[in-house]
Structures are given as C-alpha cells and as structure tokens.
Amino acid sequence: MSPPATTSLEAPPPTAPDDPAAPAGATALTPTIRATLRRRRIWIVFAALVALGVLAINLIGGTARGGGPLLGSDNAAPGGAKALVEVLRGHGVDVTPVDSYDLALDAAKSGSTVLVYDELGVLTADRYSKLGLYADRLVVVAPDFVALEALAPGVRLAGFASGPLDDVACDVPAARRAGSLSDGQGLLRVDDDAAADGWRGCFRDEGDAFAVVTGEGRGGEITLVPATTSFENGRITEHGNAALAIGLTGASERLAWYLPGPTDAAAGEAPTIAELTPGWVSPVLALAVILTIAAGVWRGRRFGPLVAENLPVQVPAGETSEGRARLYARNTARLHALDQLRIGSIGRLAQALRLPRAVDVASLAEAVAASTGRDPVAVRQLLVDAQPVGDADLVRLAGELGDLEADVRARLAPETGPGRRP
Amino acid sequence: MALTGRFVLLVALGVVPVVIAGLTGAPEAWLALVGWLFVVVGAGAVDLSIAASPRRVAFARELPERVRLGEPVASVLVVQNLGGRTMRATVRDGWEPSAGVDGANRTRLVIPPAERRRMTLRLVPVRRGDRRTAQVTIRSAGPLGLWARQATLAAPGRVRVLPPFHSRVHLPSRLTRLRELDGRTPLLIRGQGTEFDSIREYVRGDDVRSIDWRATARHIDPEVPGNARLMVRTWRPERDRRIVIVADTSRTAAARIADEPRLDTAYEASLLLAALATHAGDRVDFLATDRRLRGRVHGATGPDLLARMVDTMAGIDAELLEADWSLVPGLVRQVTSRRALVVLLTAADSPGSSRGLLSMLPQLTSRHTVVVASVADPALIEAGRQHDDLEAVYRAAAAQRGLDDGERVAAAIRRLGGQTVSASPPELPPALADRYLDLKASGQL
C-alpha cells in the first residue's frame, strides 16, 4: 500500500460560532449511544421485564419446589426428602445434613445413625468399610456395587420390583410396622454365604429378592435399601413407605443425613494439575483468553458499514452451447451430432470450392473427390451415408471430416501459397 | 468505540507482572492480573475520554466529473476539524468496490482544532457507470492510541465512469478512407451516392468527360478575349445523411463473450461509427432500448456527440428482459422521418430469440437501410474445430449447431432486406465502420 498523500492547508480564518460562513458539519450516520438507547427503549424495557420475571419465578419457584439434589434434606421437590426430615425433627430426632466424608465419619463415631445416599458413586470401598466400622446404625440408600462389596459381600443387586410388595418376610420392627411397600422398589438378592453371615431380607417379591436387606456389619447394624422411593417426598405417603423410612432413620436420637458433596468427589490420591504447575500458569491462561477477546474486538471491529453496490447482470455466453453438448452426450445422439458437423463441413467445403451454397451433396462429394484425388464413394460415405456405430466410430468420423476439410484447403491453397510459387 | 493494536499489545504485556508475581504464589498472580487489567482498561477509558469527537467534522470533495474507464482518478477529500481538540484520525472513504480504490483505503490524518487536511485517494474504476461514495468513516484515537471513537458521516460523492472507447485506434485508418471518398478529394466521376459539389477550372489530368460545356461557355477568359475557360464538374459523396444507432439492452446484451458483455461491444461499435459518421458530415442519433427507451442522444454533432453518447451509455446496463422490438420503428420515426441508416446492435444468434426482431424488420427495411450488427462468439468457432475425444466432438456439434442457427437468422435478415455484420468482439467495431464506408461509397445511404 502506498500511503495516500496528505498535505496541510492553511487554517481558515477564525470564525465566530454564529458566522454564517462557518462550514456546516457533516451529518453523522452513526447514531449516538444516547440515540440508540432511546430508539431501542421499548426493547430494553421489555428485556428488563423478562429478566425480572425470570428472576422472580426462580425466587418463588426455588422456595416452592426448587431443583436441589435427590433426597436433599431441605429439598421440597418430589425427589427430595424434606418431608421425612421434618417429620423426624418433629419427633425430636436431631437431623444433621452432612456433605463431607470427614463430618459423616465424626457423626458415626459419636453414635449417630448415618444415612448415606451416594447418587454419583464418588465414595470408595475403603470409605464405605470405614463408615460401616464406626457407625452403630448405617442406612445405605441405593447402594452401588462398590458399597455392596465393601459392606455386604454376598448381597447382589437384583433389578426392580414389578409392583407393590407386601410379603414382609422378616422380623425387623420397622418392616413389621410398614407392612407393605409401594411399587418402584429396587431389589437385592442374598446368597447363602451372606445369609450365613446374618444378612436377611425383608419384603420378598415373587423371586427370591428383597426390597430391604439388614445385617450386622463389623461395627453395627447395616440396612440396605436399594431404591430411593421410600424416602422421596412424592412417594413417602404410599403404602408403608413412611413407616419404613421413619423406622429405619429415627431409631436413635441423632441422624447424620450424608449426601457426598464436592469435597468428596475430588478426593483422588494423585495431586491435581493446579498443585503441579507454578502459580502463574492459570492467571496467564486467563490473560490469554482476555487477550484473544481483545484481539478479536480489535480485528473484528468493522471500519464503518459495508458499502452495497448494484452489479449488472452478466451471463457467460457459452452456456447454451455447453448445455446442448451435454444434452447430446446424455442422449448419445451420435448421428445427430455427426450430422451437425457434416452440415458445417459441407457449407465450408462448398465455400472453399466456390460452389453455390445450395449445392446438392452428391455433386459436392464428386467435386471434393476430384480436388483431393480421393475415392468419390468414400467421400460420399463420409459426408452423408456413414452411420456411427459407437463412440469411437463417431470420434473417428468427426476426425476424418476435419481431415477432409484440411485436405481440400491444402489442395486449393498452394496456387496462391508461398511454397509452390515458381 | 474501537480498540487498537497498541491496546492489545498492552494487554499482552500483562504476562510480565503476572509471571513475576506468580513466582511467589498463585493468589499474588491473580491479584497482578486483575490489577493489570484495571490499569489497562483505565488507561483506555481515559484515552477515549480525551479523544476528539469524530462527529464534529466538515467535508469537502474535489472530484472530476467524468473519467474514462481504465484511467486513474484522484479523489480528494478535505476534512475539517470543527472540534476543540486535535484529532488523530484514521479515515475510510466509503467508495463502492467497483470504484477501485488503490491501496487499503485507510488514511491517517492529524488535524489540529479548526484546521483542514486534504487526503487523496487514487481510484482506478473497474466498471463503467456512476461510481458513488455515500459516507466517510472516521476513527478518532486518543493521544495514547489505545481506544478510539468511531463514527460514519454522510459525504456523498460521484464519478461518472465513461465507456473506454478502445476502438478509437481504428478511427485514423477509417478517416483516411473517408477522406478519399469525401469532398476533400473531389471526384470527377459521377456515381451512385454522390452529389454535385462544384465547378472548377480544368487542370491537366482531369477526365475530359467531366467537362461541363455549358459552364465553359459562360466563363469567358478575360485575358484572352474570345477564348473560353474549360470548366469541369466535381462530385462528392452525399452528406447530411441520418444514422440511427439502436443498441439492444435486453437480456441477450448481458451475455459475456470473450470476457466482454455484448452491450460493451455494442457501445464500442456505436462510438466508432458515430465518430466516423460525424466526421463524414452525417447526423447520428443513438437509442438504447429494451422494453422501454433507456437512453437517447438526439441532435448532437461533432465532439459534443461523442461526449453525450458516452455520458448516456455510462449509466445503462443490460437488464434481464426480453426486448420489445415493436417499439423500435416508432422510436426511429420520432428521430427522423427521412430515409436513414438504422444500425441495430443486438444478438441475432438463435431463431427463437430473434423472432421479435425478424417480425419487426420489414417495417424498418421498407423505409430505411438496416444493418444488424451482432457479436459472434469466437469460442464457438474454436470449439467447432476440436474433434479430439468424444466430449469434444459433442461440443463441436453443439457449437456448429449454434453457428448454423446464427447463419439461419442472418439469412432471414437478408431476405427481409436487412444487412448483417457479425464479428468477434474486438473486430465488430471496425467491421461495422467498414460496412458504413462501403454503404457510403456505394451511395446506399
């Protein structure tokens, strides 16, 4: 780019602001920020109202039924367990929500009943064993494979019950009081070794599986309830769900309601990336992100609006001919194509031989044969009669037509051409 | 508002304090990052607040009215700072892309308060017609050059780009031929297409058959009483004929042949013919039409004619319409009631699209001499010669078919009393000029 020339002009004579000779400023096409705000006022108000509405709905709905975790002790949604917790508190049970393993372990050591519901499966076998060792009474809701292996080897997951269960089949007081359970229960199967270890099931279904399994662990009593149904706000009133849930959790004065939290999830043994890298790496990465945004704004900011231009319509002229050629090719119109070429050749040959435009082909063929010394029959064959039997034949005939024309021209040209001049 | 590269660089430099602070610990590094961003954004905001307003400016343009296509033109924009602060501006003049701004169209100007600065852009327009600019965008940076204010202001400007008239290279040779025909080399032979010019004294070498005896008898030689001076008649080609050039601007004129739209070739041919005819003393009128009259030049002569023709042509482009040929006889009648040479610049290449032209033609040929000039596609002729493989053969057949169609239309035009001129784009203007000279020489105007 060659920098455009700029030259300085002498300053115009100083003018008073109200001097009529003062140049009028150019009209700005870009609206000012204030004008933009004024023009978009309705939309801005509308957006603000929508934002307020969403906020209000969230606030109200959040207290009413909010999302919250499944079986959350203060979650009033159908999947929460606030109903059970409030009832327990109403009966004088000291319910403590716990979200870290250490607190849960402390509670277990101090003699609380511990309810564990590990929705995301973050607890390790080691931790389950430890809980089972220290807790006097441990209720594991929806135990996963790890939990079963650690606490009750020999008890296996066995799918889901197909309907309500009313075969109590054991003498656990809570189960006796409940009498029956609603549908939606998970099932566990107790094998012979486990049965020998003292594990027994309650609420048998048609198979040999149970909706509640209790037994003596190494530390205290352990109850396994494979489904959350009996504890959920939405289902606790069905059948004997409430009696079972209250009976299992309200047996002692204190209850630790343990849902593993974020601190338990990241409790891996390996050090995190943040611990391995120097302190400045994360801020520099953040700076890089900011830098990218700034550079994007720098390069992406348009220098004024795009300039529109009306362009004239222009059509490539060869399209018609190309299209016609493709049409011939698709229909393999060999004879038709060859005839077109012949018509052209005949016209040019007649012109070269100074014959009238409307000469008949037979006499033209004779004239051509006479001037080139070719066989008249062969020439006539080429110019009229031959039919192309295949693609190769068509190409050959077209080539021969071209050769014939060149031949005639060569025969006629030498009389004036420089080569034969004496 | 806009950011500058300098600001981005400044943000990037933040890596130094962040790393240095990070050697002691992560929280310090975060603190350094936030602190640096505060400093940088603060500097930018301060810079923006003391930048001159890009809205308080006045513009003046200095532009030539017309320019021939392909020639450079200097677009001068004078920017006056009406504000009270020195403006450090980058200016973009909003020319259309076809105006062909040479360079990046970003001009840096530093304008003290109440002063003016002149910036010059070099334009090389790439398309004829009116090339316009509607706005000027100014980005006014602060003294630190971190943040800038930006505004687009109205500053209309226009340059009319005229057709190039490349074919004027053919003009001198045709003028020489014209002069041979013309009265400046008076003819002694009365022929078709000549009119009586003058009677002058016989000089040795004149044809004795051209001696006018009656004039000789009237011219008594004063020096030798009783002797008469021999007088001869001279003749010259007819003058003051009417020529009406009709350019077809319909959809066929949009076709691009040998990288030039048919319409542009038609313009070249019209200009050469008009230049030649106006030198020959004939009167030229120009019409551009499709379904309505798009442009008309009437009653201009000499240099004014060419100027007005290029001016009219500049703004007319082909439209995707079928031409309405039934308009043309009426338009020609409006121009002249006398016998004239009517030159139709159109595409006579397929019987289907030429039906309107052919049905109208008898109305013109009954009163006027009609020449239909059309552009032949050299690509068709070239394709007709290729027989190398199957695809080429089919293409050659199709090309031959196209040529035959054109030939058929030309034959039909000739049968209806018109004449045809057909040549490739660079050859059409001289071919048409030659046809005009032939007609003039044979007195068919």
Side-chain angles (χ1 to χ4, degrees), chain B residues 140-332:
Chain B
S140 166
L144 300 176
L146 297 179
W147 287 4
R149 299 170 70 178
Q150 178 173 320
T152 300
L153 303 116
R158 189 200 75 157
V159 174
R160 171 152 280 200
V161 183
L162 306 176
F165 197 12
H166 292 307
S167 62
R168 64 180 180 276
V169 296
H170 299 292
L171 193 56
S173 61
R174 267 68 191 179
L175 284 177
T176 311
R177 262 193 73 192
L178 182 69
R179 238 173 261 126
E180 289 167 6
L181 295 171
D182 201 356
R184 266 163 280 181
T185 50
L187 309 173
L188 292 172
I189 303 148
R190 178 179 193 171
Q192 268 191 320
T194 54
E195 58 188 27
F196 177 69
D197 181 30
S198 62
I199 286 181
R200 62 168 169 78
E201 199 172 349
Y202 174 84
V203 294
R204 194 175 294 176
D206 284 349
D207 191 347
V208 290
R209 283 175 297 181
S210 61
I211 294 172
D212 185 337
W213 293 109
R214 270 185 291 185
T216 304
R218 281 201 297 278
H219 280 76
I220 307 300
D221 192 341
E223 293 170 9
V224 189
N227 254 9
R229 284 186 178 177
L230 283 173
M231 304 304 283
V232 292
R233 286 183 176 207
T234 60
W235 309 87
R236 63 167 192 187
E238 295 162 321
R239 297 176 68 87
D240 290 332
R241 303 288 109 178
R242 301 297 298 240
I243 296 175
V244 183
I245 303 172
V246 181
D248 170 19
T249 61
S250 69
R251 62 183 180 84
T252 51
R256 185 175 264 275
I257 295 177
D259 206 23
E260 184 174 86
R262 267 210 185 97
L263 190 62
D264 286 11
T265 313
Y267 284 169
E268 290 283 319
S270 318
L271 288 172
L272 182 63
L273 179 60
L276 191 60
T278 194
H279 270 100
D282 292 330
R283 296 170 63 185
V284 180
D285 298 290
F286 174 78
L287 301 170
T289 173
D290 40 55
R291 298 198 74 82
R292 64 196 166 92
L293 186 62
R294 300 279 305 278
R296 178 165 122 146
V297 177
H298 180 57
T301 51
D304 185 36
L305 171 73
L306 283 193
R308 284 184 52 190
M309 275 179 74
V310 288
D311 212 31
T312 307
M313 289 168 175
I316 303 176
D317 276 312
E319 285 187 359
L320 286 185
L321 296 169
E322 187 73 34
D324 183 5
W325 285 104
S326 61
L327 286 177
V328 172
L331 292 172
V332 172

Side-chain angles (χ1 to χ4, degrees), chain A residues 4-7 23 25-27 29-30 291 298 301-305 309-310 312 314-315 317 322 324 340 344 348 398, chain B residues 1 5 8 15 55 57 80 92 97-98 106 114 118 120 127 150 152-154 254-257 261 387 395 400-401:
Chain A
T6 63
T7 52
T27 319
L29 303 175
T30 319
L291 189 66
W298 165 44
R301 177 74 167 100
R302 193 176 275 164
F303 210 123
E309 177 173 3
N310 291 328
Q314 279 176 1
V315 185
E322 291 288 321
R324 195 177 268 155
Q340 297 295 346
R348 283 190 290 272
Chain B
M1 203 197 86
V8 176
V15 76
R55 295 164 188 274
V57 292
Q80 179 171 359
R92 167 194 173 222
S98 296
R106 302 281 186 276
R118 169 197 293 266
T120 308
R127 206 157 63 74
Q150 178 173 320
T152 300
L153 303 116
R256 185 175 264 275
I257 295 177
H387 301 148
R395 204 173 289 144
Q400 186 59 49
R401 173 62 196 253

Side-chain angles (χ1 to χ4, degrees), chain A residues 79-108:
Chain A
K82 190 172 180 181
L84 173 61
V85 171
E86 290 301 318
V87 168
L88 289 172
R89 281 180 178 152
H91 285 78
V93 178
D94 179 15
V95 183
T96 318
V98 175
D99 68 349
S100 84
Y101 174 72
D102 295 334
L103 292 175
L105 205 59
D106 289 346

Side-chain angles (χ1 to χ4, degrees), chain A residues 284-313:
Chain A
V284 166
L285 285 178
L287 182 66
V289 170
I290 294 166
L291 189 66
T292 312
I293 294 167
V297 173
W298 165 44
R299 299 309 303 177
R301 177 74 167 100
R302 193 176 275 164
F303 210 123
L306 287 180
V307 177
E309 177 173 3
N310 291 328
L311 288 173
V313 57

